[in-house]
């Protein structure tokens, strides 16, 4: 029986992975760096989150970009103290872009707020030695476009602060998000086109998310290979946006694709972000979660990823 289309694409990745493993065993000495995006933990204190991640064997965290105003958000000194006590470093900042700070907005005040927000996050990111900041070209939770000029406004607005990413030593990582949540930039190809349109050395990276990729890409593995060296962070959740291993996600093909692009190196991260299904996950940042549920979600996800990675690499 002829394989299905996705199976044929999987086979190409499997063959390339096997060839790389045979001919370049040195490329498999280091494992993929695992992090965790903490904004889905809601209003839980950072101390409690750091303890959970340490117990799960993690060394990195992607911090909620919660500097929504000059007096709001994590403070660098206290943050570094809490994370340092648990042996955790900051991988990056999860930038949060709603209608209030929308780079593509048709209201100048909202675009200015996006600029101010990015500047606050860059100051914080530099202070805690974060490697990247996730940037969404349009508002999450607003799938309907304002008009036909969103892309141009978003590019124009981000260009104003693009040089500041270089000055702060922080990579701008453009995130494609499924069309049920945002109005523009849904695929890796879209993100590359956006980066090309902006045409600035301060904005050259991509933050992909396999949950969104399931809805928008023709094949996740091929899209990751296409992202190549531009990929700096990969958000992970299973097909049901739950813990890895709880759904039908083809994790093996994803891991193989990551090794094909040499993703198992310093400064590049796989970052679980299981948020549950829905059109707008942002309310989760204000929720009061059940610590026992979070514990299981983190431990099961990390264990499952390591199991699949070792089964492939060893």
């Amino acid at each position: 029986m002829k394989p299905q289309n996705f199976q044929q694409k999987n086979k190409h990745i499997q063959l390339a992975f096997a060839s790389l493993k045979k001919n370049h065993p040195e490329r498999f000495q280091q494992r993929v760096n695992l992090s965790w995006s903490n904004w889905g933990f809601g209003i839980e204190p950072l101390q409690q989150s750091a303890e959970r991640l340490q117990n799960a064997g993690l060394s990195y965290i992607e911090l909620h970009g919660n500097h929504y105003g000059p007096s709001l958000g994590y403070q660098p000194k206290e943050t570094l103290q809490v994370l340092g006590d648990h042996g955790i470093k900051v991988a990056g900042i999860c930038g949060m872009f709603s209608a209030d700070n929308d780079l593509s907005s048709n209201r100048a005040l909202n675009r200015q707020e996006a600029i101010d927000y990015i500047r606050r996050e860059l100051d914080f990111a530099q202070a805690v030695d974060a490697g990247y900041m996730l940037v969404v070209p349009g508002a999450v939770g607003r799938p309907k476009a304002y008009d036909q000029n969103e892309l141009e406004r978003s590019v124009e607005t981000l260009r104003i602060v693009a040089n500041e990413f270089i000055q702060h030593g922080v990579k701008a990582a453009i995130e494609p998000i499924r069309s049920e949540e945002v109005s523009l930039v849904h695929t890796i190809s879209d993100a590359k086109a956006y980066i090309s349109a902006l045409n600035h050395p301060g904005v050259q990276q991509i933050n992909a998310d396999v949950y969104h990729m399931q809805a928008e890409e023709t094949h996740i593995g091929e899209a990751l290979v296409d992202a190549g060296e531009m990929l700096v962070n990969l958000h992970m959740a299973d097909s049901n946006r739950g813990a890895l291993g709880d759904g039908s996600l083809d994790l093996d093909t994803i891991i193989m694709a990551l090794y094909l692009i040499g993703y198992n190196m310093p400064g590049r991260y796989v970052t679980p972000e299981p948020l549950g299904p829905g059109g707008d996950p942002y309310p989760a940042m204000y929720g009061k979660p059940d610590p026992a549920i979070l514990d299981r979600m983190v431990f099961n996800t990390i264990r499952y990823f390591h199991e699949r990675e070792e089964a492939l690499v060893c």
Side-chain angles (χ1 to χ4, degrees):
M1 183 169 59
K2 180 181 178 180
Q4 299 178 74
N5 288 344
F6 80 90
Q7 291 174 319
Q8 296 181 52
K9 293 177 179 181
N10 284 356
K11 189 66 175 179
H12 288 308
I13 290 176
Q14 291 165 6
L15 290 173
F17 180 82
S19 176
L20 182 68
K21 188 175 177 181
K22 177 181 178 181
N23 297 315
H24 296 281
E26 73 280 1
R27 294 272 299 273
F28 295 83
Q29 296 302 308
Q30 183 172 324
R31 299 295 182 263
V32 172
N33 297 306
L34 288 181
S35 181
W36 196 281
S37 188
N38 80 318
W39 70 268
F41 292 168
I43 60 173
E44 177 180 88
L46 184 59
Q47 169 78 26
Q48 189 172 353
S49 300
E51 182 177 354
R52 174 183 301 112
L53 299 186
Q54 180 187 36
N55 291 338
L58 291 176
S59 300
Y60 297 99
I61 187 171
E62 178 185 85
L63 285 172
H64 175 191
N66 58 6
H67 299 87
Y68 301 109
S71 302
L72 300 174
Y74 297 128
Q75 297 303 304
K77 183 178 179 180
E78 291 80 358
T79 300
L80 289 173
Q81 180 67 54
V82 169
L83 297 179
D85 288 345
H86 295 86
I88 295 175
K89 297 179 180 180
V90 181
I93 305 298
C94 188
M96 314 297 285
F97 293 86
S98 67
D100 294 329
N101 63 337
D102 185 349
L103 288 163
S104 68
S105 179
N106 58 2
R107 298 186 69 239
L109 288 174
N110 295 137
R111 293 199 304 279
Q112 181 62 54
E113 183 52 43
I115 291 170
D116 295 341
Y117 170 72
I118 289 172
R119 284 174 170 157
R120 289 191 296 270
E121 290 301 339
L122 285 176
D123 287 342
F124 175 75
Q126 183 180 41
V128 298
D129 199 26
Y132 66 86
M133 177 183 171
L134 184 159
V135 178
V136 184
V140 177
R142 181 186 60 78
K144 184 177 180 180
Y146 293 119
D147 51 40
Q148 298 299 311
N149 304 311
E150 287 191 329
L151 180 63
E152 289 77 9
R153 283 196 301 270
S154 180
V155 165
E156 178 185 28
T157 308
L158 186 56
R159 185 178 287 122
I160 293 171
V161 290
N163 202 51
E164 296 178 40
F165 282 92
I166 298 175
Q167 294 169 356
H168 286 79
V170 178
K171 297 180 177 69
I174 304 302
E175 181 176 21
I177 293 179
R178 62 185 182 141
S179 53
E180 287 86 351
E181 294 183 41
V182 300
S183 60
L184 74 163
V185 185
H186 307 302
T187 65
I188 295 293
S189 179
D190 290 344
K192 293 173 75 171
Y194 180 91
I195 291 169
S196 178
L198 202 149
N199 190 29
H200 192 285
V203 184
Q204 291 293 315
Q205 311 301 139
I206 293 174
N207 181 103
D209 187 313
V210 297
Y211 182 72
H212 301 305
M213 296 174 82
Q214 289 177 101
E216 301 291 342
E217 303 288 358
T218 58
H219 190 271
I220 295 176
E222 285 188 344
L224 291 174
V225 171
D226 182 49
E229 293 184 355
M230 298 178 76
L231 187 68
V232 71
N233 189 56
L234 178 63
H235 281 165
M236 296 287 284
D238 215 309
S239 58
N240 56 0
R241 216 172 194 176
L244 293 182
D246 283 353
S248 57
L249 182 71
D250 182 4
L251 183 56
D252 286 7
T253 298
I254 291 170
I255 293 173
M256 286 187 282
L258 293 177
Y259 274 85
L260 287 177
I261 63 173
Y263 200 72
N264 51 322
M265 65 173 60
R268 305 172 89 176
Y269 305 92
V270 164
T271 304
E273 189 191 46
L275 299 167
D280 180 6
Y282 272 16
M285 75 177 76
Y286 304 114
K288 187 175 182 180
D290 183 334
I293 293 176
L294 293 182
D295 287 347
R296 288 194 297 273
M297 182 172 64
V298 171
F299 280 81
N300 289 346
T301 292
I302 301 306
R303 175 187 52 78
Y304 188 71
F305 186 93
H306 282 318
E307 285 180 356
R308 299 315 309 165
E309 184 180 32
E310 291 306 308
L312 290 165
V313 173
C314 292

